[in-house]
Amino acid sequence: MKKLLLQLDSDKLASSFDTITAYDAGVDHVLMFGGVGVEDVRNIVYGAMFTRGGEMLKNSAVFIGGSSVPVGEAMLKAAQDAFFGPVRVSVMADPNGSNTTAAAAVLKIIRATPVAGKKAVIYAGTGPVGVRAAALLVKEGCQVLLTSRKLDRAQEACKAIYDRFQLEVTPMEVRAEASVIQALEGAHVALACGAAGIELVKKELWAGSPTLEVVADVNAVPPTGIGGIKPSDDGKERESKIAFGALGIGGLKMKIHRASVARLFEQNDLVLDIEEIYAIGKGL
Amino acid sequence: MKKLLLQLDSDKLASSFDTITAYDAGVDHVLMFGGVGVEDVRNIVYGAMFTRGGEMLKNSAVFIGGSSVPVGEAMLKAAQDAFFGPVRVSVMADPNGSNTTAAAAVLKIIRATPVAGKKAVIYAGTGPVGVRAAALLVKEGCQVLLTSRKLDRAQEACKAIYDRFQLEVTPMEVRAEASVIQALEGAHVALACGAAGIELVKKELWAGSPTLEVVADVNAVPPTGIGGIKPSDDGKERESKIAFGALGIGGLKMKIHRASVARLFEQNDLVLDIEEIYAIGKGL
Amino acid sequence: MKKLLLQLDSDKLASSFDTITAYDAGVDHVLMFGGVGVEDVRNIVYGAMFTRGGEMLKNSAVFIGGSSVPVGEAMLKAAQDAFFGPVRVSVMADPNGSNTTAAAAVLKIIRATPVAGKKAVIYAGTGPVGVRAAALLVKEGCQVLLTSRKLDRAQEACKAIYDRFQLEVTPMEVRAEASVIQALEGAHVALACGAAGIELVKKELWAGSPTLEVVADVNAVPPTGIGGIKPSDDGKERESKIAFGALGIGGLKMKIHRASVARLFEQNDLVLDIEEIYAIGKGL
């Protein structure tokens, strides 16, 4: 029986990135659905639930992508709401690559240095990757500071993390150079999750930090958010710190993405969201 | 040469149910087309007609789905209008599952008891499944009463059956309990085709019928249209009658659906509408 | 690793003709994208560029179709603009079949007779096929006259050919019978590229030409643009000339189309536009 992945994407056109990655993960056929609304999810999922019975259900699975992370989250909920007890299929959510990217970034960091009991700063961390990375780092025993140019946005993000994960992250407004430095005080890890092409932390601000061990950045478009590192850095030593750029993180992200999709077809009742995707990455 | 099924669906998103079923029927690739208008059919069908010649034409076929049965019927006509003599491909119509469901329901009934010379009542029979089941039962020699809450709707349905199949079905208005009972008088078969979750015939009204042999229902959402039976009933004895619920019928429906899709690729000139799909079901 | 073709189509529904042909060319999976705007191309192409690295990039490729040739040309440019140096995938453009049809028509002609130093007339040649065929014939050493019912349209087409190919074609207004004859004077080749079902050159006007060797026509709907020939003509002698109709040309067009798609997967840096597609056709 063929392994079929139903790709649900809220963008007008389904992501070719996600489709190709699914084929490389061993899926036999991807059913590409673009322009999917939350209200369309139930019927698509029903099609997977009611065509293959019992043990065979595990050969159908659902992948939720799309560039909007909130819509993707609502679609994940709608998919789970469609299930009837054991009549269900496995589902993975990775809207805008947020889960696989956050998992990869944190795995790079914790493999470079143990983080339990240490301090991490996530610059411009209010987006989906920053929020997820913050939660994962706290779970690893790290104390996390999440910054934004606006305090209320940082506070909202920390509240969202608490609501979703019941984990504490400290919000901080960071705009001027003084606050960039202040955030970095005593930090062992700095992760930049800001918009593409914007430098958040100049090299001279982090290069001399006595505590900093790891710098990482998830944006691929130069200049990097962490000044002085390169997108291709994958554990490169820079200023006596270990640096990870977006492409270095991206290689691991792809592996996690493929392994997670492959995992979907092992049983019919998986829900792969950030925690499960991170666990899969850890097991690689 | 790969077996390709062109799935034409008038809904915004092509039905995942139909796509998955096609793969399970042995199709190599399904070309999913959602949001198809009747005016789009010709070009899609041309693509199948003009790419593979002669003997190879049978490796391409067309499946017409979508939740709107009238649009599906118009699409089936448009597909046939596109053919040039022997330059054609096989086509199957099953909008909203109407053909495979009606075929399965009637097959369950006639396998439970011979119906020639007997009487069947189809409650709430004006929809696509009711109309098709009525025609099939008349073809099997049964006298059929088709009911609706409004007489003119029942009359229209019977006229549509006559226009399409040249078969006589008797319309009847059924609203109050008295008319439910009256319809059932002397009936050997009762089939409910009403909207999901509405009880059409209370258990106490049919349980004591001296003539009734089979009760069947195509709706899966409780309460069933025929009171006192269950969606999972598949020939279960209830009140000394043989009962079929939607899931019991659904198992056979799936087999008919898959067998019909597989049949498309045996030759290039099939048109599988209700009669042919029923014949395929009979042959299983 | 599976060979994946990303089919980009500006029409609402991706062309089933192009999808089926791609499968027959050996592609493992076609990712069908209908309703693609020029602004969507970059992201789709990124998905192919950033999922498979290095040597593996050649297993993903892009096909640009759609009924609008100008939009297809803009999409080809957008795809090339998306590439980063060696990080690229092969791409083929054949909007409305224009490249494969023009290549096939000219190949049929030059295989019937050498054209260097001779004269060809392309009747109603302002469309995509006419323009491309004109350029190919000039490259083969032929002097080409391109006609239109309006002089300025013929002039525009010749200017477009010069801008794109730096090749000289002579424009001519042809409406009345006298000008049809005048255009044909001293011509060895006549190719009709007009709208379907319109006769451009009556049989009695070309049958007696002392110089004419080949007549060809790319429209499949009778009457043919060149009177007295048939769509199925594939080198048939008519009035002592060699005749090619749309279906005769169409057989070669299909072979060129399939060979071009197959070629895409041999390396990751091909751009198959009219020149390259013609060269592939020549090599068959």
Side-chain angles (χ1 to χ4, degrees):
Chain A
M1 182 169 275
K2 284 169 176 166
K3 289 184 212 163
L4 303 180
L5 185 68
L6 284 64
Q7 178 187 4
L8 278 54
D9 199 306
S10 57
D11 296 331
K12 184 184 76 169
L13 302 171
S15 158
S16 60
F17 185 100
D18 290 338
T19 316
I20 296 172
T21 304
Y23 280 118
D24 288 343
V27 170
D28 289 314
H29 294 279
V30 180
L31 280 58
M32 299 169 70
F33 293 95
V36 177
V38 175
E39 70 283 3
D40 299 317
V41 170
R42 195 179 60 177
N43 262 339
I44 302 177
V45 172
Y46 276 1
M49 288 161 58
F50 298 130
T51 39
R52 298 167 150 190
E55 181 63 21
M56 295 297 99
L57 271 168
K58 73 176 182 187
N59 294 302
S60 301
V62 170
F63 176 90
I64 294 169
S67 58
S68 167
V69 175
V71 172
E73 289 171 336
M75 287 166 70
L76 176 59
K77 183 176 182 309
Q80 293 176 272
D81 287 347
F83 298 148
F84 291 161
V87 182
R88 53 190 297 150
V89 295
S90 287
V91 55
M92 169 181 177
D94 196 27
N96 213 24
S98 54
N99 284 333
T100 48
T101 301
V106 173
L107 279 167
K108 285 289 181 185
I109 291 166
I110 68 163
R111 284 172 183 170
T113 186
V115 297
K118 294 185 182 166
K119 176 184 165 187
V121 192
I122 303 185
Y123 287 99
T126 60
V129 172
V131 159
R132 284 157 170 77
L136 295 176
L137 284 167
V138 175
K139 283 201 173 189
E140 294 289 349
C142 198
Q143 176 201 342
V144 176
L145 201 63
L146 186 153
T147 87
S148 171
R149 290 175 55 82
K150 297 193 177 178
L151 182 61
D152 59 347
R153 293 209 57 214
Q155 286 169 329
E156 278 167 34
C158 292
K159 183 176 182 309
I161 293 168
Y162 187 82
D163 291 346
R164 166 73 172 78
F165 302 96
Q166 285 77 54
L167 295 171
E168 303 274 2
V169 174
T170 309
M172 179 177 176
E173 177 170 301
V174 166
R175 285 164 169 266
E177 219 161 80
S179 55
V180 172
I181 295 167
Q182 191 190 335
L184 211 56
E185 219 156 86
H188 305 84
V189 171
L191 170 63
C193 297
I198 294 175
E199 192 183 68
L200 299 165
V201 189
K202 284 185 190 162
K203 185 179 170 182
E204 57 264 35
L205 301 188
W206 63 264
S209 159
T211 53
L212 200 61
E213 297 174 78
V214 181
V215 287
D217 195 317
V218 298
N219 286 306
V221 182
T224 48
I226 304 283
I229 73 168
K230 289 196 174 171
S232 57
D233 285 354
D234 189 15
K236 185 165 177 79
E237 198 180 303
R238 292 200 181 269
E239 313 296 324
S240 317
K241 328 294 183 202
I242 306 169
F244 297 99
L247 302 182
I249 293 168
L252 179 57
K253 176 217 178 307
M254 287 300 297
K255 280 184 195 137
I256 297 172
H257 189 152
R258 284 195 298 265
S260 298
V261 171
R263 186 85 181 75
L264 289 173
F265 295 92
E266 294 177 11
Q267 51 194 94
N268 77 317
D269 56 359
L270 292 171
V271 176
L272 304 187
D273 202 349
I274 179 63
E275 296 92 333
E276 298 81 10
I277 290 169
Y278 182 66
I280 288 169
K282 261 194 161 169
L284 290 181
Chain B
M1 181 170 275
K2 284 169 176 166
K3 289 184 213 165
L4 303 179
L5 185 68
L6 285 65
Q7 178 187 5
L8 277 56
D9 200 307
S10 57
D11 297 332
K12 184 184 77 168
L13 302 171
S15 158
S16 61
F17 185 101
D18 290 337
T19 315
I20 296 171
T21 305
Y23 280 119
D24 288 343
V27 169
D28 289 315
H29 293 279
V30 180
L31 279 59
M32 299 170 70
F33 293 95
V36 177
V38 175
E39 69 284 2
D40 299 317
V41 171
R42 196 178 61 177
N43 262 340
I44 303 177
V45 172
Y46 276 1
M49 289 161 58
F50 298 130
T51 38
R52 296 165 150 191
E55 182 62 22
M56 296 296 99
L57 272 168
K58 73 176 182 186
N59 294 303
S60 302
V62 171
F63 176 90
I64 295 169
S67 58
S68 167
V69 176
V71 172
E73 289 170 336
M75 288 166 69
L76 176 59
K77 185 176 179 308
Q80 292 177 272
D81 288 347
F83 298 149
F84 292 160
V87 183
R88 54 190 296 151
V89 295
S90 288
V91 54
M92 169 180 177
D94 196 27
N96 213 24
S98 54
N99 284 332
T100 49
T101 302
V106 173
L107 280 167
K108 284 289 183 184
I109 292 166
I110 68 163
R111 283 171 183 170
T113 186
V115 296
K118 293 183 183 167
K119 177 184 164 187
V121 192
I122 304 185
Y123 287 99
T126 60
V129 172
V131 159
R132 284 158 170 76
L136 295 176
L137 284 167
V138 174
K139 283 202 172 188
E140 295 288 349
C142 199
Q143 179 200 338
V144 176
L145 203 64
L146 186 154
T147 86
S148 171
R149 290 175 55 83
K150 297 195 177 175
L151 182 61
D152 60 345
R153 293 207 58 213
Q155 287 170 329
E156 277 167 33
C158 291
K159 183 175 180 308
I161 292 169
Y162 187 82
D163 290 347
R164 167 71 172 77
F165 301 97
Q166 285 78 55
L167 296 171
E168 302 275 2
V169 173
T170 308
M172 181 177 174
E173 178 170 302
V174 167
R175 284 166 169 265
E177 219 161 80
S179 56
V180 172
I181 295 167
Q182 192 191 334
L184 210 56
E185 219 156 86
H188 305 84
V189 171
L191 170 63
C193 296
I198 294 175
E199 191 183 67
L200 299 165
V201 189
K202 284 185 189 161
K203 184 178 172 184
E204 57 264 33
L205 301 189
W206 64 263
S209 161
T211 53
L212 200 61
E213 298 174 78
V214 180
V215 287
D217 195 316
V218 298
N219 286 307
V221 182
T224 48
I226 304 283
I229 74 168
K230 288 196 175 170
S232 58
D233 285 354
D234 189 15
K236 185 166 178 78
E237 198 181 302
R238 292 199 182 269
E239 315 297 323
S240 318
K241 328 295 183 201
I242 306 169
F244 297 99
L247 301 183
I249 293 168
L252 178 57
K253 177 217 178 304
M254 287 300 296
K255 281 184 194 137
I256 296 172
H257 189 151
R258 285 195 298 264
S260 299
V261 171
R263 185 83 181 77
L264 290 172
F265 295 91
E266 294 177 11
Q267 50 194 93
N268 77 315
D269 56 359
L270 292 171
V271 177
L272 303 186
D273 203 349
I274 180 63
E275 296 93 333
E276 297 80 11
I277 289 169
Y278 182 65
I280 288 169
K282 261 193 160 170
L284 290 180
Chain C
M1 182 169 277
K2 284 170 176 167
K3 289 183 213 166
L4 304 180
L5 185 68
L6 285 64
Q7 177 188 3
L8 278 55
D9 200 306
S10 57
D11 296 332
K12 184 185 74 167
L13 303 171
S15 158
S16 60
F17 185 101
D18 290 338
T19 316
I20 296 172
T21 304
Y23 281 119
D24 288 343
V27 169
D28 289 315
H29 293 280
V30 180
L31 281 57
M32 298 169 70
F33 294 95
V36 177
V38 175
E39 70 282 4
D40 299 317
V41 170
R42 195 177 61 178
N43 262 339
I44 303 177
V45 172
Y46 276 0
M49 288 161 58
F50 298 129
T51 38
R52 296 166 151 189
E55 181 63 21
M56 295 298 98
L57 270 169
K58 72 175 182 186
N59 294 302
S60 302
V62 171
F63 176 90
I64 294 168
S67 57
S68 167
V69 176
V71 172
E73 290 171 336
M75 287 166 69
L76 175 59
K77 184 175 181 309
Q80 293 176 273
D81 287 348
F83 297 148
F84 291 160
V87 182
R88 53 189 297 150
V89 295
S90 288
V91 54
M92 170 180 176
D94 195 27
N96 213 24
S98 54
N99 283 333
T100 49
T101 301
V106 172
L107 279 166
K108 285 290 182 183
I109 292 166
I110 69 164
R111 283 171 183 171
T113 187
V115 297
K118 293 183 184 168
K119 177 186 165 187
V121 193
I122 303 184
Y123 286 99
T126 59
V129 172
V131 159
R132 283 158 170 76
L136 295 176
L137 284 167
V138 173
K139 283 202 172 187
E140 293 290 350
C142 200
Q143 178 201 341
V144 176
L145 202 64
L146 185 154
T147 86
S148 171
R149 288 175 56 83
K150 297 194 178 177
L151 182 59
D152 60 345
R153 295 208 56 214
Q155 286 169 330
E156 278 167 33
C158 291
K159 183 175 181 309
I161 293 169
Y162 187 82
D163 290 347
R164 167 71 172 78
F165 302 96
Q166 287 77 55
L167 296 171
E168 302 275 2
V169 173
T170 308
M172 181 176 173
E173 178 171 302
V174 167
R175 284 166 170 263
E177 219 161 80
S179 57
V180 173
I181 295 167
Q182 192 190 334
L184 212 54
E185 219 155 86
H188 304 84
V189 171
L191 170 63
C193 296
I198 294 176
E199 191 183 67
L200 299 165
V201 189
K202 286 185 189 158
K203 183 178 171 183
E204 58 263 35
L205 301 188
W206 63 264
S209 159
T211 53
L212 200 62
E213 297 175 76
V214 180
V215 288
D217 195 317
V218 297
N219 285 306
V221 183
T224 48
I226 305 283
I229 74 167
K230 288 194 174 172
S232 58
D233 286 353
D234 188 15
K236 185 167 177 78
E237 198 180 303
R238 293 201 181 267
E239 314 297 322
S240 317
K241 329 295 184 200
I242 305 169
F244 296 99
L247 301 182
I249 293 168
L252 179 56
K253 175 215 177 307
M254 288 299 298
K255 280 185 195 137
I256 296 172
H257 189 152
R258 286 195 297 265
S260 299
V261 171
R263 186 84 181 76
L264 289 172
F265 296 92
E266 293 177 11
Q267 51 194 97
N268 77 317
D269 57 359
L270 292 171
V271 177
L272 303 186
D273 202 348
I274 179 63
E275 297 92 333
E276 297 81 10
I277 289 169
Y278 182 66
I280 288 169
K282 261 193 162 169
L284 291 181

